[in-house]
Amino acid sequence: MSIPLFSLVLLFFVCQTACSQDVKLEESKLTALILCQAQFKQVRGEDGKEHPVPGAAKLILVYPTPKGWESESIEDPDSNVFHKATPFKNGFITIGANDAALKLWSRVGQTWKAETLWKSSFGGKQNRLRDIEIGDVTGDSKDDLVIATHDQGVVAVLQSTRDSWKVTELNRSPQTFVHEIEIGDVNGDGINEIFATPSAPNKVDGTPQPGKILMFRYNGKSFDRSVIEEFPKRHVKEILVADVDHPGCPDLFAVLEAEMTKVSGQQQIVDTVKIKRYHYEKGKFVGSIIESLPDVFCRFLNCGDVDGDGKIDLIASTFKSGIWILKRDKNAWHKELIDENSSGFEHATLICDLDRDGLSEIYVAADDQGALRKYQWDGKRFKREKLLSLPKGTITFNLTAFKL
């Protein structure tokens, strides 16, 4: 399987965004979807050809109204991509690149105003805040911010003080991309562990891009670092901490990107995408492959009950092969294709009960098809609805639910 020329040019942005579990919403407020994007314009170069050049970071708020779905846009010229947005205080925070800024956005009248909460330079060629998760990872009952960066492999915990942030670096590795952060209490000790997916810099030429999965655990004074698994011929960008069996402790799920090789100048798949489950038992992780997907990569893995059967499903949104649902029957997993005509370099996906009917919907930014779509179970199948057209020359990196 080859990667389109447009995607090759966009190697600057090749990295995975955070996936989230089924989002629970309050009843009292209108809820919007936030699409975090990079946008590109065509500029003629010295060679006489047009090339895509990144513009200002962009996000789109999409929300239902009595007249249908409406949207509004926000741009930030300080950055050229919003990698993620997530609710925070009375607004939402964004992470950007290459100006690695953490910003808080609040509505003032009819406009959105940004306040820079934290900004840093890490010393590499790229200066990206790539992912962020919010939660208590130190056991003090206060939410912390856990951030991953490119290209110095930084994993950092930000703890709020009275008028600033206390920053604790847990990891720093030159020429390393950390693609995602997930947090969750997998061992049941009451403190969330931190999981991260560092790898060698992104490649799209078929040569190996090795990587690993790291875990950081707070010991009461500092963070202990351990390697869950290392991959010499492939890597992991997408991970998910999820409780699919209701045992009280979640598991870690990881998407192993395809193992690739280069033959006669063309990249070829040696082994397809694998989804691996890591269960913590007796002081260690036990890993097992639960499914394979016929693709090069899968950048979004979500969980939730999307068909009303009371069981937690996994939703995997792949590069080209479509959207898949993974269901567990006793001890076996099996996959079913929801929509083969949905694809995208990131293929951002969110599970959320936006209409509050008690059954979660699947929201997908299908950039290749230029559409934001909703999938809803009607009792027999998933019904697809187009909510918004997405312009060409954009990549949607993340989908988030936000209470306006």
Side-chain angles (χ1 to χ4, degrees):
M1 181 180 293
S2 62
I3 297 179
L5 178 60
F6 181 67
S7 296
L8 289 173
V9 178
L10 299 181
L11 176 59
F12 187 59
F13 289 111
V14 180
C15 31
Q16 210 306 71
T17 172
C19 70
S20 61
Q21 297 189 33
D22 194 357
V23 176
K24 305 301 181 185
L25 304 173
E26 294 180 2
E27 293 288 343
S28 58
K29 295 184 179 180
L30 176 66
T31 302
L33 298 174
I34 302 180
L35 286 70
C36 294
Q37 296 182 324
Q39 57 180 334
F40 299 83
K41 58 182 179 180
Q42 296 293 324
V43 176
R44 190 173 301 277
E46 294 180 357
D47 58 0
K49 299 180 180 179
E50 290 191 340
H51 303 273
V53 175
K58 180 182 179 181
L59 60 81
I60 304 174
L61 288 93
V62 184
Y63 44 88
T65 73
K67 297 181 180 180
W69 291 84
E70 297 186 2
S71 65
E72 57 181 301
S73 299
I74 299 173
E75 294 190 357
D76 183 4
D78 291 340
S79 298
N80 53 26
V81 58
F82 284 126
H83 276 135
K84 188 175 183 180
T86 190
F88 189 76
K89 295 183 177 180
N90 294 322
F92 58 87
I93 52 177
T94 57
I95 52 173
N98 272 327
D99 188 357
L102 172 70
K103 293 188 177 184
L104 172 64
W105 296 80
S106 304
R107 188 185 285 279
V108 180
Q110 298 299 313
T111 62
W112 290 91
K113 300 292 185 181
E115 172 191 358
T116 299
L117 301 182
W118 179 67
K119 184 168 69 171
S120 185
S121 179
F122 303 104
K125 293 182 180 180
Q126 299 189 27
N127 201 48
R128 298 173 172 275
L129 301 185
R130 187 57 189 89
D131 195 21
I132 183 172
E133 290 292 333
I134 302 175
D136 178 17
V137 294
T138 58
D140 61 0
S141 300
K142 297 179 181 178
D143 278 344
D144 309 302
L145 308 182
V146 186
I147 292 179
T149 80
H150 293 180
D151 60 357
Q152 296 300 294
V154 174
V155 177
V157 174
L158 277 63
Q159 295 173 275
S160 179
T161 63
R162 179 173 297 180
D163 55 2
S164 63
W165 295 92
K166 176 186 175 183
V167 181
T168 303
E169 283 194 10
L170 310 186
N171 190 82
R172 179 183 281 262
S173 304
Q175 291 299 303
T176 300
F177 287 10
V178 183
H179 304 281
E180 185 173 12
I181 297 293
E182 281 282 292
I183 63 175
D185 181 13
V186 297
N187 64 357
D189 66 354
I191 299 177
N192 288 320
E193 288 78 46
I194 301 168
F195 300 91
T197 57
S199 79
N202 292 321
K203 297 181 179 181
V204 289
D205 60 359
T207 57
Q209 182 186 343
K212 63 186 71 173
I213 304 174
L214 298 179
M215 181 177 71
F216 303 91
R217 177 181 292 158
Y218 191 65
N219 61 25
K221 295 182 179 180
S222 60
F223 288 88
D224 297 324
R225 177 185 183 273
S226 59
V227 178
I228 293 179
E229 189 168 2
E230 195 160 1
F231 307 93
K233 296 183 178 181
R234 60 169 82 192
H235 67 284
V236 170
K237 287 188 173 75
E238 174 65 357
I239 52 177
L240 171 69
V241 175
D243 184 351
V244 299
D245 293 331
H246 308 291
C249 286
D251 293 325
L252 174 69
F253 294 85
V255 179
L256 281 59
E257 300 211 344
E259 183 182 336
M260 307 295 293
T261 190
K262 196 172 184 178
V263 179
S264 301
Q266 298 293 320
Q267 59 175 338
Q268 292 184 6
I269 296 177
V270 176
D271 192 20
T272 60
V273 168
K274 299 288 188 283
I275 297 182
K276 193 166 187 176
R277 180 185 187 183
Y278 297 89
H279 179 67
Y280 190 82
E281 57 183 53
K282 297 181 180 180
K284 63 179 182 180
F285 284 95
V286 178
S288 60
I289 302 295
I290 64 169
E291 258 303 353
S292 299
L293 298 173
D295 218 313
V296 177
F297 51 78
C298 169
R299 301 288 170 78
F300 273 81
L301 186 66
N302 290 261
C303 71
D305 180 10
V306 294
D307 57 7
D309 65 356
K311 298 179 181 180
I312 301 299
D313 311 309
L314 298 179
I315 302 298
S317 300
T318 62
F319 174 41
K320 288 296 184 183
S321 65
I323 305 169
W324 300 82
I325 182 169
L326 280 65
K327 302 184 70 66
R328 187 175 185 181
D329 183 14
K330 296 182 180 180
N331 293 323
W333 290 81
H334 67 275
K335 63 179 181 286
E336 298 174 13
L337 190 59
I338 292 177
D339 189 355
E340 64 179 352
N341 296 312
S342 182
S343 59
F345 203 74
E346 292 293 325
H347 213 179
T349 302
L350 176 72
I351 296 176
C352 178
D353 184 13
L354 199 66
D355 60 12
R356 299 186 178 93
D357 66 351
L359 182 62
S360 294
E361 309 91 57
I362 306 170
Y363 295 90
V364 179
D367 287 330
D368 287 350
Q369 289 75 32
L372 172 66
R373 293 166 167 170
K374 178 176 75 170
Y375 295 83
Q376 191 160 25
W377 183 252
D378 66 3
K380 295 182 179 180
R381 63 184 179 88
F382 287 97
K383 182 180 179 181
R384 189 179 76 186
E385 177 186 355
K386 181 178 178 180
L387 308 182
L388 184 75
S389 294
L390 301 179
K392 293 183 179 180
T394 62
I395 298 179
T396 306
F397 278 86
N398 190 255
L399 272 174
T400 307
F402 172 68
K403 297 181 291 294
L404 291 172

